[in-house]
Structure formats: C-alpha cells, structure tokens
Amino acid sequence: MKTVHNELKAKMDKTIEALKFEFTTIRAGKANPQMLDKIRVDYYGTPTPINQIGAISVPEPRTLMISPWDKSAMSEIEKAIRNSDLGLNPTSDGDVIRINVPALTEERRKELAKKAHKVGEEFKVRLRNERRDANDKFKKMEKDGEITADELKKAQEDVQKTTDKYVKEIDTLVDAKEADIMAV
C-alpha cells in the first residue's frame, strides 16, 4: 500500500515541477531565457532548442541576447522566434540576436493571466488522473484479497488528502504567476 502512495506522491511532485517549468515559458514582461525553451529552430532539418544552437544571456532587464555558435543559423533562429506565440521581434547585427521584451499591455496581461489559469487547470486534470490510477490500483488490491475493504477506504481517503494538497499547491502557483503577470 505504501508503494502505491509513494508512487502517487512522486508522480504528483513531477507534475508540480512540470507546471513550474511551464510557467517559466509564460512571459511576465521581464526578459527570461526560459521563455525561449519551447521554441524549436529548424537547424539542418532537425527541430532544435535555441539553447542548443547558441548562448542566451540577459544583458538588461528587458533584453535577451542570443549568440549563435553557428552564424548560418541566425536567420532560422529569428524566424522561429517571430513565428512563436510570444509576440517578440528579434533583431540581428550579424554576430548576435537581440530581443527587446516589450512591457505588457493591460490586455496582454489579462490574456497571459488567463493562459496561466488554463495551464493550472490542465495540470489539476493530470493530478486527478494520477489519483484515479492510484485508486484503481487499491481497488485491484482489494479485489485480489491483498487488502481489506476498510484498508481500501483508508487508502482512498489518503489519496484524496494527497490530491487536495497538490491541487492547493497548484492554486498557489497559479495565483503567484497571475500576480507576477499583472504586476506593473
């Protein structure tokens, strides 16, 4: 019984980490190298993350700078950034690509806050699926005679408490991200 519960906690911890990563890709008006993590560049026919093609730095609070290791990839990097849903406009001087991260308009802030909320809901669904899987394992254990009906009920209560704890953590993360986005 403990192993099922430990597996559940491990899966839910991974879900929380994945949500934190997802939130780093939603921009909040500040330059952050992780906001480019989801962008893939067509590099010699292979979709490649930008951070594997060049060094990304933050020389100023609202500026990202990409120094490609292969200068021939500059136009592809620029195209990939322009085509992303980040709304960024890169400029190149032949050696580096600079991206000015514009201040967010009120409308764009509200859009991004909604996106953060939607992402939070998607991750709650993941938690609920993990809860269902754990409960199914406990029901099978009871059916196979490994645990009693009372132990099944207790195990399901523990799974629900764990799920509630992680859902609350997601709510906290979503609220923090929304506050970060809405901060002027």
Side-chain angles (χ1 to χ4, degrees):
M1 253 175 49
K2 272 230 186 285
T3 55
V4 174
H5 204 74
N6 289 341
E7 283 175 23
L8 176 67
K9 282 184 175 182
K11 285 180 182 176
M12 289 187 171
D13 283 336
K14 284 181 185 172
T15 301
I16 295 294
E17 289 308 309
L19 175 64
K20 288 177 181 175
F21 171 77
E22 188 75 26
F23 279 168
T24 63
T25 65
I26 298 175
R27 73 184 184 102
K30 297 182 283 287
N32 177 354
Q34 283 91 5
M35 59 198 279
L36 302 175
D37 282 354
K38 284 187 159 183
I39 299 174
R40 298 288 182 260
V41 177
D42 184 18
Y43 187 60
Y44 294 107
T46 305
T48 310
I50 291 176
N51 62 6
Q52 291 181 14
I53 298 175
I56 304 171
S57 59
V58 185
E60 298 167 22
R62 289 195 181 271
T63 306
L64 286 173
M65 192 167 73
I66 304 169
S67 303
W69 294 305
D70 179 358
K71 303 296 181 212
S72 67
M74 289 186 82
S75 63
E76 287 296 328
I77 294 171
E78 285 183 76
K79 188 167 80 175
I81 293 168
R82 270 195 198 93
N83 294 339
S84 72
D85 65 349
L86 293 174
L88 299 172
N89 194 17
T91 56
S92 167
D93 67 4
D95 289 325
V96 296
I97 298 170
R98 284 184 178 40
I99 304 168
N100 288 320
V101 180
L104 296 172
T105 63
E106 186 66 25
E107 187 179 319
R108 184 72 175 141
R109 285 179 193 282
K110 287 179 181 173
E111 253 178 61
L112 290 173
K114 277 185 191 172
K115 183 178 179 182
H117 186 76
K118 183 176 176 236
V119 167
E121 289 303 317
E122 290 168 6
F123 277 82
K124 285 182 191 177
V125 169
R126 286 190 193 181
L127 291 181
R128 291 184 190 112
N129 288 339
E130 290 160 4
R131 173 189 63 193
R132 184 196 61 229
D133 293 346
N135 281 334
D136 288 349
K137 286 178 185 174
F138 284 127
K139 286 177 188 169
K140 185 180 181 324
M141 289 170 79
E142 191 232 1
K143 185 179 170 199
D144 294 346
E146 295 175 42
I147 60 173
T148 66
D150 287 343
E151 288 172 323
L152 171 65
K153 189 173 181 342
K154 172 83 172 91
Q156 288 176 329
E157 286 171 5
D158 290 346
V159 166
Q160 186 59 48
K161 284 179 190 169
T162 302
T163 304
D164 291 344
K165 179 185 131 203
Y166 282 93
V167 165
K168 195 173 188 172
E169 189 172 345
I170 285 179
D171 287 337
T172 303
L173 291 169
V174 168
D175 290 345
K177 186 63 179 180
E178 287 176 346
D180 186 31
I181 291 168
M182 298 307 286
V184 178

